[in-house]
Amino acid sequence: MHDPRALLEMGAEAVRRLARRGYTLDLDRLEELSSRRNKRVQAADQLRAESNRVAHEVPKVVRSGGDASELKERARQLKEQIRDAEAEQEQLQADLRDFLLGIPNLPLDAVPDGDSEDFAVEIRRHGTPTSFSFEPKDHVDLGEAMGILDFGRATKLSGPRFSVAKGAGAALERGLATFFLDLHTRHHGYTECSVPNLVTPETMTGTGQLPKFEEDLFKTGVGSRQLYLIPTAEVPLTNLHADEIIDASALPIAYTAHTPCYRSEAGSYGRDTRGILRLHQFAKVELVRVCEAEKSQTELEKMLSHAEACLKELGLPYRVIMLAAGDMGFSAQVTYDIEVWLPSQQRYREISSCSDCGTFQARRAAIRVRDKAGKKSFAATLNGSGLPIGRTLAAVMEQYQQQDGSILVPDVLVPYVGFKAIGPDGAPRA
Protein backbone atom coordinates (compact mmCIF):
# COMPACT_ATOMS: atom_id res chain seq x y z
CA MET A 1 0.00 0.00 0.00
CA HIS A 2 1.26 3.44 -0.83
CA ASP A 3 1.97 6.41 1.42
CA PRO A 4 -0.59 9.00 0.25
CA ARG A 5 1.80 11.85 1.02
CA ALA A 6 4.47 10.29 -1.21
CA LEU A 7 2.04 9.89 -4.11
CA LEU A 8 0.80 13.47 -3.76
CA GLU A 9 4.36 14.80 -3.59
CA MET A 10 5.25 12.84 -6.74
CA GLY A 11 2.13 14.18 -8.44
CA ALA A 12 2.40 13.91 -12.22
CA GLU A 13 5.33 11.50 -11.90
CA ALA A 14 3.18 9.01 -9.98
CA VAL A 15 0.45 9.39 -12.60
CA ARG A 16 2.97 8.75 -15.39
CA ARG A 17 4.47 5.66 -13.82
CA LEU A 18 1.12 4.09 -12.97
CA ALA A 19 -0.19 4.85 -16.46
CA ARG A 20 2.53 2.50 -17.75
CA ARG A 21 0.64 -0.24 -15.91
CA GLY A 22 -2.68 0.80 -17.41
CA TYR A 23 -3.81 2.35 -14.11
CA THR A 24 -5.20 5.89 -13.98
CA LEU A 25 -4.37 7.57 -10.68
CA ASP A 26 -7.02 10.10 -9.63
CA LEU A 27 -4.86 12.63 -7.79
CA ASP A 28 -7.82 14.91 -7.08
CA ARG A 29 -9.68 12.09 -5.35
CA LEU A 30 -6.57 11.13 -3.38
CA GLU A 31 -6.05 14.76 -2.32
CA GLU A 32 -9.69 15.05 -1.27
CA LEU A 33 -9.67 11.88 0.82
CA SER A 34 -6.34 12.67 2.41
CA SER A 35 -7.30 16.27 3.18
CA ARG A 36 -10.69 15.37 4.67
CA ARG A 37 -9.09 12.66 6.81
CA ASN A 38 -6.37 15.03 8.06
CA LYS A 39 -8.87 17.80 8.87
CA ARG A 40 -11.06 15.38 10.79
CA VAL A 41 -8.02 14.13 12.75
CA GLN A 42 -7.15 17.72 13.67
CA ALA A 43 -10.74 18.51 14.62
CA ALA A 44 -10.94 15.43 16.84
CA ASP A 45 -7.64 16.34 18.51
CA GLN A 46 -8.94 19.84 19.23
CA LEU A 47 -12.14 18.47 20.72
CA ARG A 48 -10.17 16.08 22.94
CA ALA A 49 -7.92 18.92 24.08
CA GLU A 50 -10.96 21.05 25.02
CA SER A 51 -12.54 18.06 26.74
CA ASN A 52 -9.42 17.60 28.87
CA ARG A 53 -9.42 21.30 29.75
CA VAL A 54 -13.09 21.21 30.78
CA ALA A 55 -12.51 18.02 32.78
CA HIS A 56 -9.82 19.81 34.80
CA GLU A 57 -12.00 22.90 35.32
CA VAL A 58 -15.03 21.09 36.78
CA PRO A 59 -13.40 19.97 40.07
CA LYS A 60 -11.82 23.41 40.53
CA VAL A 61 -15.20 25.12 40.27
CA VAL A 62 -16.81 22.59 42.61
CA ARG A 63 -14.07 23.04 45.23
CA SER A 64 -14.47 26.80 45.12
CA GLY A 65 -18.24 26.47 45.69
CA GLY A 66 -19.16 27.66 42.20
CA ASP A 67 -21.80 26.37 39.78
CA ALA A 68 -20.26 23.75 37.44
CA SER A 69 -23.47 22.82 35.62
CA GLU A 70 -22.58 24.66 32.42
CA LEU A 71 -19.12 23.04 32.37
CA LYS A 72 -20.66 19.62 32.94
CA GLU A 73 -23.09 20.19 30.09
CA ARG A 74 -20.21 21.28 27.87
CA ALA A 75 -18.31 18.14 28.86
CA ARG A 76 -21.29 16.03 27.85
CA GLN A 77 -21.58 17.81 24.51
CA LEU A 78 -17.85 17.40 23.86
CA LYS A 79 -18.09 13.69 24.59
CA GLU A 80 -20.78 13.31 21.93
CA GLN A 81 -18.89 15.49 19.47
CA ILE A 82 -15.71 13.45 20.00
CA ARG A 83 -17.61 10.21 19.44
CA ASP A 84 -19.09 11.57 16.20
CA ALA A 85 -15.73 12.98 15.06
CA GLU A 86 -13.95 9.68 15.73
CA ALA A 87 -16.62 7.75 13.82
CA GLU A 88 -16.27 10.12 10.86
CA GLN A 89 -12.48 9.93 11.11
CA GLU A 90 -12.65 6.14 11.10
CA GLN A 91 -14.88 6.14 8.01
CA LEU A 92 -12.64 8.60 6.17
CA GLN A 93 -9.59 6.52 7.10
CA ALA A 94 -11.31 3.40 5.75
CA ASP A 95 -12.24 5.20 2.52
CA LEU A 96 -8.65 6.38 2.05
CA ARG A 97 -7.29 2.93 2.84
CA ASP A 98 -9.65 1.27 0.34
CA PHE A 99 -8.57 3.75 -2.32
CA LEU A 100 -4.87 3.13 -1.63
CA LEU A 101 -5.29 -0.66 -1.54
CA GLY A 102 -6.49 -0.57 -5.14
CA ILE A 103 -3.39 1.20 -6.47
CA PRO A 104 -0.73 -1.18 -7.88
CA ASN A 105 2.98 -0.83 -7.25
CA LEU A 106 4.96 1.73 -9.21
CA PRO A 107 7.04 0.07 -11.96
CA LEU A 108 10.73 0.88 -12.15
CA ASP A 109 11.81 2.96 -15.13
CA ALA A 110 14.01 0.06 -16.31
CA VAL A 111 10.88 -2.01 -16.94
CA PRO A 112 9.81 -1.92 -20.61
CA ASP A 113 6.55 -0.33 -21.74
CA GLY A 114 3.67 -2.53 -22.89
CA ASP A 115 0.73 -4.52 -21.58
CA SER A 116 1.38 -8.09 -22.71
CA GLU A 117 4.06 -10.76 -23.14
CA ASP A 118 4.67 -9.39 -26.64
CA PHE A 119 6.48 -6.42 -25.07
CA ALA A 120 8.76 -8.44 -22.78
CA VAL A 121 12.50 -8.01 -23.24
CA GLU A 122 14.63 -11.15 -23.50
CA ILE A 123 17.62 -11.08 -21.16
CA ARG A 124 19.36 -14.38 -21.93
CA ARG A 125 18.96 -17.99 -22.99
CA HIS A 126 20.46 -21.15 -21.57
CA GLY A 127 20.73 -24.51 -23.30
CA THR A 128 19.70 -25.60 -26.76
CA PRO A 129 16.29 -27.15 -27.43
CA THR A 130 16.59 -30.83 -28.32
CA SER A 131 16.14 -31.87 -31.94
CA PHE A 132 14.07 -35.04 -32.08
CA SER A 133 14.31 -37.61 -34.87
CA PHE A 134 10.58 -38.23 -34.36
CA GLU A 135 7.49 -36.12 -33.70
CA PRO A 136 7.57 -35.37 -29.96
CA LYS A 137 4.36 -35.89 -28.00
CA ASP A 138 2.98 -33.54 -25.41
CA HIS A 139 2.94 -34.49 -21.72
CA VAL A 140 -0.79 -35.33 -21.85
CA ASP A 141 -0.44 -37.99 -24.56
CA LEU A 142 2.71 -39.34 -22.94
CA GLY A 143 1.29 -39.46 -19.43
CA GLU A 144 -2.04 -40.99 -20.36
CA ALA A 145 -0.46 -43.61 -22.65
CA MET A 146 1.89 -44.62 -19.84
CA GLY A 147 -0.84 -44.52 -17.20
CA ILE A 148 1.06 -42.07 -14.97
CA LEU A 149 -1.31 -39.13 -15.53
CA ASP A 150 -5.09 -39.44 -15.36
CA PHE A 151 -7.15 -36.39 -16.29
CA GLY A 152 -10.42 -38.23 -16.82
CA ARG A 153 -10.66 -39.49 -13.25
CA ALA A 154 -9.48 -36.12 -11.92
CA THR A 155 -12.42 -34.50 -13.72
CA LYS A 156 -14.72 -37.12 -12.21
CA LEU A 157 -13.48 -36.16 -8.75
CA SER A 158 -13.35 -32.38 -9.02
CA GLY A 159 -14.32 -31.17 -12.47
CA PRO A 160 -12.04 -29.70 -15.15
CA ARG A 161 -8.57 -28.32 -14.49
CA PHE A 162 -7.46 -30.95 -12.01
CA SER A 163 -5.03 -33.83 -12.46
CA VAL A 164 -4.10 -37.15 -10.89
CA ALA A 165 -0.53 -38.45 -11.01
CA LYS A 166 -0.01 -42.16 -10.38
CA GLY A 167 2.88 -44.54 -9.88
CA ALA A 168 6.06 -43.24 -11.45
CA GLY A 169 4.32 -39.94 -12.24
CA ALA A 170 3.56 -39.32 -8.56
CA ALA A 171 7.10 -40.39 -7.69
CA LEU A 172 8.48 -37.83 -10.14
CA GLU A 173 6.35 -35.09 -8.59
CA ARG A 174 7.57 -36.01 -5.11
CA GLY A 175 11.15 -36.27 -6.32
CA LEU A 176 11.07 -32.86 -7.98
CA ALA A 177 9.72 -31.19 -4.84
CA THR A 178 12.31 -32.79 -2.59
CA PHE A 179 15.12 -32.01 -5.03
CA PHE A 180 14.13 -28.34 -5.20
CA LEU A 181 13.90 -28.05 -1.42
CA ASP A 182 17.30 -29.70 -0.96
CA LEU A 183 18.86 -27.43 -3.56
CA HIS A 184 17.49 -24.27 -1.97
CA THR A 185 18.15 -25.20 1.65
CA ARG A 186 21.55 -26.87 1.26
CA HIS A 187 23.08 -24.69 -1.44
CA HIS A 188 21.14 -21.43 -1.63
CA GLY A 189 20.71 -20.65 2.06
CA TYR A 190 16.93 -20.80 2.42
CA THR A 191 15.13 -21.93 5.56
CA GLU A 192 12.38 -24.44 4.82
CA CYS A 193 8.97 -23.70 6.33
CA SER A 194 5.78 -25.68 6.66
CA VAL A 195 2.97 -23.13 6.55
CA PRO A 196 -0.84 -23.07 6.69
CA ASN A 197 -2.72 -23.45 3.42
CA LEU A 198 -5.65 -21.45 4.83
CA VAL A 199 -5.07 -17.80 5.75
CA THR A 200 -7.05 -14.81 6.94
CA PRO A 201 -8.26 -11.89 4.78
CA GLU A 202 -5.67 -9.71 6.52
CA THR A 203 -2.90 -12.05 5.39
CA MET A 204 -4.16 -11.96 1.80
CA THR A 205 -4.32 -8.18 1.97
CA GLY A 206 -0.72 -7.98 3.18
CA THR A 207 0.68 -9.44 -0.04
CA GLY A 208 -1.81 -7.75 -2.38
CA GLN A 209 -4.26 -10.53 -3.30
CA LEU A 210 -7.06 -8.68 -1.54
CA PRO A 211 -9.16 -6.73 -2.09
CA LYS A 212 -8.60 -6.46 -5.85
CA PHE A 213 -8.26 -10.14 -6.81
CA GLU A 214 -10.86 -11.86 -4.65
CA GLU A 215 -12.44 -13.53 -7.69
CA ASP A 216 -9.18 -15.40 -8.29
CA LEU A 217 -9.26 -16.99 -4.83
CA PHE A 218 -10.96 -19.98 -3.28
CA LYS A 219 -12.44 -19.17 0.12
CA THR A 220 -14.09 -21.06 2.91
CA GLY A 221 -15.02 -20.50 6.51
CA VAL A 222 -15.69 -22.06 9.88
CA GLY A 223 -18.42 -20.32 11.82
CA SER A 224 -17.74 -16.60 11.66
CA ARG A 225 -14.16 -17.08 10.47
CA GLN A 226 -13.48 -16.42 6.80
CA LEU A 227 -10.38 -18.08 5.39
CA TYR A 228 -8.78 -18.28 1.95
CA LEU A 229 -6.87 -21.10 0.29
CA ILE A 230 -3.42 -19.80 -0.61
CA PRO A 231 -2.70 -19.14 -4.32
CA THR A 232 1.03 -19.39 -3.55
CA ALA A 233 3.26 -19.90 -0.50
CA GLU A 234 4.39 -16.29 -1.03
CA VAL A 235 1.32 -15.28 0.98
CA PRO A 236 2.05 -17.05 4.30
CA LEU A 237 5.84 -16.82 3.96
CA THR A 238 5.89 -13.05 3.45
CA ASN A 239 3.34 -12.47 6.19
CA LEU A 240 5.33 -14.44 8.75
CA HIS A 241 6.83 -11.09 9.70
CA ALA A 242 3.69 -8.96 9.44
CA ASP A 243 3.46 -6.32 12.18
CA GLU A 244 7.07 -6.97 13.17
CA ILE A 245 10.26 -4.92 13.37
CA ILE A 246 13.33 -6.86 12.19
CA ASP A 247 16.87 -5.94 13.14
CA ALA A 248 18.86 -5.14 10.00
CA SER A 249 21.57 -7.53 11.20
CA ALA A 250 19.13 -10.43 10.69
CA LEU A 251 18.65 -9.62 6.99
CA PRO A 252 18.34 -10.92 4.40
CA ILE A 253 15.76 -13.49 5.42
CA ALA A 254 15.27 -16.33 2.93
CA TYR A 255 12.36 -18.78 3.17
CA THR A 256 11.21 -21.66 1.00
CA ALA A 257 8.14 -23.89 1.21
CA HIS A 258 6.49 -26.66 -0.76
CA THR A 259 2.72 -26.20 -0.74
CA PRO A 260 -0.35 -26.84 -2.81
CA CYS A 261 -1.62 -23.69 -4.51
CA TYR A 262 -5.23 -22.93 -5.35
CA ARG A 263 -6.37 -20.54 -8.08
CA SER A 264 -9.75 -20.05 -9.70
CA GLU A 265 -8.02 -18.82 -12.89
CA ALA A 266 -10.86 -16.33 -13.37
CA GLY A 267 -10.71 -14.82 -16.83
CA SER A 268 -8.38 -17.49 -18.20
CA TYR A 269 -10.92 -20.01 -19.45
CA GLY A 270 -10.03 -21.24 -22.90
CA ARG A 271 -6.30 -20.83 -22.19
CA ASP A 272 -4.09 -23.88 -21.56
CA THR A 273 -7.06 -26.10 -20.77
CA ARG A 274 -5.12 -29.17 -21.89
CA GLY A 275 -2.82 -30.87 -19.42
CA ILE A 276 -1.17 -29.54 -16.28
CA LEU A 277 -0.07 -26.06 -17.31
CA ARG A 278 -3.01 -24.19 -15.75
CA LEU A 279 -4.81 -26.04 -12.97
CA HIS A 280 -7.04 -24.99 -10.10
CA GLN A 281 -4.75 -26.92 -7.72
CA PHE A 282 -1.05 -27.42 -8.24
CA ALA A 283 2.09 -27.81 -6.14
CA LYS A 284 4.96 -25.36 -6.04
CA VAL A 285 8.21 -24.73 -4.21
CA GLU A 286 8.24 -21.00 -3.47
CA LEU A 287 11.11 -18.64 -2.62
CA VAL A 288 10.68 -15.51 -0.50
CA ARG A 289 13.33 -13.01 0.55
CA VAL A 290 13.10 -10.03 2.93
CA CYS A 291 15.84 -7.40 2.87
CA GLU A 292 16.63 -3.71 3.27
CA ALA A 293 14.96 -1.62 0.58
CA GLU A 294 18.20 -0.42 -1.03
CA LYS A 295 19.37 -4.01 -1.54
CA SER A 296 16.26 -5.39 -3.25
CA GLN A 297 17.64 -5.36 -6.81
CA THR A 298 20.74 -7.31 -5.75
CA GLU A 299 18.51 -9.78 -3.92
CA LEU A 300 16.29 -10.16 -7.00
CA GLU A 301 19.24 -11.15 -9.17
CA LYS A 302 20.27 -13.66 -6.51
CA MET A 303 16.79 -15.18 -6.31
CA LEU A 304 16.59 -15.38 -10.08
CA SER A 305 19.83 -17.34 -10.19
CA HIS A 306 18.42 -19.78 -7.63
CA ALA A 307 15.36 -20.48 -9.76
CA GLU A 308 17.55 -20.83 -12.87
CA ALA A 309 19.75 -23.33 -11.04
CA CYS A 310 16.81 -25.74 -10.81
CA LEU A 311 16.46 -25.84 -14.60
CA LYS A 312 20.20 -26.04 -15.18
CA GLU A 313 20.46 -29.04 -12.88
CA LEU A 314 17.59 -30.74 -14.72
CA GLY A 315 19.14 -30.00 -18.10
CA LEU A 316 16.09 -28.08 -19.36
CA PRO A 317 16.62 -25.26 -21.92
CA TYR A 318 15.11 -21.93 -20.89
CA ARG A 319 15.19 -18.20 -21.40
CA VAL A 320 14.85 -15.22 -19.03
CA ILE A 321 12.70 -12.22 -19.91
CA MET A 322 11.81 -8.96 -18.17
CA LEU A 323 8.07 -8.36 -18.18
CA ALA A 324 6.53 -5.16 -19.50
CA ALA A 325 5.07 -2.71 -16.99
CA GLY A 326 1.46 -3.53 -17.87
CA ASP A 327 2.02 -7.29 -17.66
CA MET A 328 3.46 -7.49 -14.14
CA GLY A 329 1.70 -8.69 -11.04
CA PHE A 330 -0.09 -6.12 -8.89
CA SER A 331 2.59 -5.98 -6.17
CA ALA A 332 5.73 -6.05 -8.34
CA GLN A 333 7.95 -3.15 -9.32
CA VAL A 334 10.01 -5.38 -11.62
CA THR A 335 9.55 -9.02 -12.66
CA TYR A 336 11.70 -11.55 -14.45
CA ASP A 337 9.98 -14.57 -15.97
CA ILE A 338 11.83 -17.79 -16.71
CA GLU A 339 10.36 -19.68 -19.64
CA VAL A 340 11.19 -23.35 -20.22
CA TRP A 341 11.24 -24.94 -23.67
CA LEU A 342 8.31 -27.26 -24.39
CA PRO A 343 9.05 -29.49 -27.41
CA SER A 344 5.38 -30.21 -28.13
CA GLN A 345 4.63 -26.51 -28.51
CA GLN A 346 7.98 -25.54 -30.03
CA ARG A 347 8.09 -22.48 -27.81
CA TYR A 348 9.20 -21.23 -24.42
CA ARG A 349 6.51 -21.23 -21.70
CA GLU A 350 6.54 -19.53 -18.31
CA ILE A 351 7.74 -21.71 -15.47
CA SER A 352 8.84 -19.11 -12.91
CA SER A 353 8.25 -15.48 -12.04
CA CYS A 354 10.72 -13.69 -9.77
CA SER A 355 9.53 -10.30 -8.52
CA ASP A 356 10.94 -7.44 -6.50
CA CYS A 357 8.04 -5.79 -4.68
CA GLY A 358 10.14 -3.08 -3.06
CA THR A 359 8.42 -1.80 0.09
CA PHE A 360 4.92 -2.21 -1.38
CA GLN A 361 3.95 -5.40 0.48
CA ALA A 362 5.86 -4.42 3.62
CA ARG A 363 3.75 -1.26 3.91
CA ARG A 364 0.56 -3.30 3.65
CA ALA A 365 1.78 -5.94 6.12
CA ALA A 366 3.69 -3.53 8.40
CA ILE A 367 7.08 -5.24 8.07
CA ARG A 368 9.78 -2.86 9.24
CA VAL A 369 13.54 -2.85 9.70
CA ARG A 370 15.53 -1.27 12.53
CA ASP A 371 19.08 -0.24 11.64
CA LYS A 372 22.07 0.08 14.00
CA ALA A 373 21.11 3.64 14.88
CA GLY A 374 17.60 2.54 15.82
CA LYS A 375 15.97 4.15 12.78
CA LYS A 376 12.94 2.26 11.45
CA SER A 377 11.99 1.88 7.79
CA PHE A 378 9.93 -0.49 5.69
CA ALA A 379 11.57 -3.69 4.45
CA ALA A 380 11.62 -4.88 0.84
CA THR A 381 10.06 -8.23 -0.06
CA LEU A 382 10.73 -10.51 -3.01
CA ASN A 383 9.17 -13.74 -4.21
CA GLY A 384 9.75 -16.31 -6.91
CA SER A 385 8.79 -19.78 -8.07
CA GLY A 386 11.53 -22.25 -7.48
CA LEU A 387 9.79 -24.17 -9.18
CA PRO A 388 6.19 -25.27 -9.83
CA ILE A 389 6.04 -29.06 -9.80
CA GLY A 390 3.45 -29.65 -12.54
CA ARG A 391 4.99 -27.43 -15.20
CA THR A 392 8.44 -28.81 -14.44
CA LEU A 393 7.09 -32.36 -14.71
CA ALA A 394 5.58 -31.53 -18.10
CA ALA A 395 8.89 -30.10 -19.32
CA VAL A 396 10.88 -33.11 -18.07
CA MET A 397 8.47 -35.58 -19.67
CA GLU A 398 8.53 -33.82 -23.03
CA GLN A 399 12.25 -33.05 -23.07
CA TYR A 400 13.36 -36.55 -22.01
CA GLN A 401 10.89 -38.62 -24.06
CA GLN A 402 12.21 -41.37 -26.28
CA GLN A 403 10.92 -42.69 -29.61
CA ASP A 404 9.60 -45.90 -28.03
CA GLY A 405 7.34 -43.90 -25.69
CA SER A 406 9.58 -44.18 -22.65
CA ILE A 407 10.96 -41.27 -20.62
CA LEU A 408 14.46 -40.93 -19.20
CA VAL A 409 14.86 -39.46 -15.73
CA PRO A 410 17.34 -36.57 -15.34
CA ASP A 411 20.43 -37.74 -13.48
CA VAL A 412 19.88 -35.37 -10.54
CA LEU A 413 16.44 -36.90 -9.90
CA VAL A 414 17.51 -40.56 -9.93
CA PRO A 415 18.54 -40.56 -6.23
CA TYR A 416 15.15 -39.09 -5.34
CA VAL A 417 12.95 -41.49 -7.31
CA GLY A 418 15.07 -44.65 -7.35
CA PHE A 419 14.81 -45.33 -11.09
CA LYS A 420 16.47 -44.08 -14.28
CA ALA A 421 13.58 -44.28 -16.72
CA ILE A 422 9.87 -44.92 -17.11
CA GLY A 423 8.89 -47.51 -19.69
CA PRO A 424 6.08 -47.05 -22.24
CA ASP A 425 3.89 -49.08 -19.89
CA GLY A 426 4.56 -46.67 -17.01
CA ALA A 427 6.78 -49.11 -15.13
CA PRO A 428 9.95 -47.73 -13.52
CA ARG A 429 13.22 -48.95 -15.01
CA ALA A 430 16.31 -49.21 -12.83
Side-chain angles (χ1 to χ4, degrees):
M1 186 167 67
H2 295 281
D3 180 346
R5 293 170 299 179
L7 289 178
L8 290 170
E9 287 173 4
M10 292 176 67
E13 175 64 10
V15 173
R16 180 191 70 82
R17 291 174 64 180
L18 286 167
R20 299 180 65 218
R21 301 196 60 140
Y23 181 88
T24 301
L25 175 61
D26 188 342
L27 278 178
D28 291 338
R29 177 61 174 162
L30 177 59
E31 171 65 34
E32 177 196 1
L33 288 171
S34 184
S35 177
R36 289 176 60 195
R37 188 275 311 267
N38 292 341
K39 288 179 181 178
R40 182 45 55 191
V41 169
Q42 294 171 3
D45 287 343
Q46 292 172 355
L47 288 170
R48 279 189 287 268
E50 184 180 355
S51 178
N52 289 334
R53 181 185 61 78
V54 170
H56 282 90
E57 286 295 319
V58 169
K60 291 180 182 180
V61 172
V62 172
R63 284 196 300 269
S64 66
D67 183 2
S69 58
E70 290 187 7
L71 285 173
K72 290 180 179 179
E73 174 61 20
R74 180 56 181 160
R76 186 191 64 78
Q77 293 173 353
L78 285 169
K79 184 177 181 180
E80 292 180 355
Q81 291 173 0
I82 290 171
R83 183 176 64 248
D84 292 343
E86 288 178 341
E88 186 177 351
Q89 176 186 331
E90 184 177 332
Q91 182 59 56
L92 288 170
Q93 180 63 41
D95 292 343
L96 178 59
R97 182 174 184 271
D98 289 345
F99 183 87
L100 292 170
L101 286 175
I103 303 174
N105 202 353
L106 298 170
L108 298 183
D109 285 337
V111 174
D113 288 329
D115 59 0
S116 71
E117 60 185 18
D118 296 333
F119 297 92
V121 174
E122 185 173 304
I123 305 299
R124 57 180 169 270
R125 295 189 181 197
H126 179 85
T128 302
T130 299
S131 296
F132 292 88
S133 60
F134 57 93
E135 185 70 24
K137 297 179 180 179
D138 70 6
H139 66 279
V140 179
D141 290 338
L142 284 166
E144 291 187 326
M146 303 170 84
I148 63 173
L149 294 179
D150 193 332
F151 297 98
R153 288 188 173 90
T155 300
K156 178 175 65 175
L157 294 174
S158 307
R161 294 202 172 187
F162 288 89
S163 69
V164 170
K166 299 189 296 183
L172 273 179
E173 287 192 340
R174 173 167 44 85
L176 282 166
T178 307
F179 166 63
F180 293 154
L181 289 171
D182 283 352
L183 185 63
H184 296 317
T185 57
R186 297 176 184 177
H187 301 284
H188 298 156
Y190 289 81
T191 298
E192 183 180 355
C193 300
S194 178
V195 292
N197 296 162
L198 289 165
V199 297
T200 65
E202 292 77 16
T203 301
M204 283 290 191
T205 301
T207 39
Q209 282 74 26
L210 288 178
K212 188 173 180 61
F213 301 103
E214 184 161 11
E215 67 173 3
D216 293 326
L217 305 172
F218 286 104
K219 59 183 175 181
T220 184
V222 179
S224 61
R225 293 176 62 194
Q226 185 178 34
L227 296 171
Y228 290 84
L229 289 161
I230 60 172
T232 165
E234 166 203 345
V235 175
L237 288 177
T238 303
N239 281 282
L240 284 175
H241 293 284
D243 301 309
E244 292 183 10
I245 300 173
I246 308 168
D247 284 333
S249 60
L251 298 177
I253 293 171
Y255 291 137
T256 186
H258 171 225
T259 67
C261 305
Y262 306 90
R263 300 182 185 179
S264 73
E265 297 290 351
S268 68
Y269 288 92
R271 297 173 54 197
D272 294 324
T273 56
R274 179 175 170 82
I276 55 180
L277 297 185
R278 194 182 295 274
L279 300 175
H280 290 312
Q281 176 185 326
F282 60 96
K284 181 155 64 83
V285 172
E286 184 74 0
L287 307 176
V288 163
R289 299 182 76 84
V290 181
C291 67
E292 295 164 286
E294 62 271 18
K295 298 179 180 178
S296 67
Q297 284 295 283
T298 299
E299 291 295 315
L300 177 60
E301 297 295 332
K302 186 181 297 184
M303 173 181 284
L304 179 63
S305 72
H306 297 158
E308 288 184 73
C310 298
L311 295 171
K312 289 178 180 178
E313 291 288 327
L314 291 170
L316 297 175
Y318 67 87
R319 71 169 185 163
V320 177
I321 60 174
M322 179 182 285
L323 295 188
D327 196 33
M328 295 191 302
F330 183 79
S331 298
Q333 64 179 5
V334 58
T335 295
Y336 290 112
D337 267 9
I338 305 175
E339 297 183 334
V340 69
W341 180 259
L342 284 184
S344 66
Q345 298 186 17
Q346 289 294 292
R347 58 178 292 203
Y348 291 98
R349 296 300 307 270
E350 178 198 340
I351 197 167
S352 174
S353 283
C354 294
S355 297
D356 171 11
C357 298
T359 61
F360 184 81
Q361 291 180 328
R363 287 183 177 277
R364 297 168 74 105
I367 305 171
R368 292 182 290 171
V369 178
R370 181 192 293 112
D371 64 18
K372 291 181 180 179
K375 182 180 178 181
K376 300 183 186 70
S377 60
F378 285 104
T381 62
L382 305 95
N383 63 81
S385 306
L387 296 169
I389 307 306
R391 291 195 174 205
T392 308
L393 175 63
V396 167
M397 291 174 63
E398 293 192 14
Q399 186 71 26
Y400 283 90
Q401 65 179 294
Q402 305 297 300
Q403 189 167 6
D404 66 354
S406 63
I407 296 174
L408 300 181
V409 175
D411 290 342
V412 293
L413 288 183
V414 172
Y416 292 93
V417 298
F419 50 86
K420 295 182 178 180
I422 306 173
D425 60 354
R429 293 178 176 176

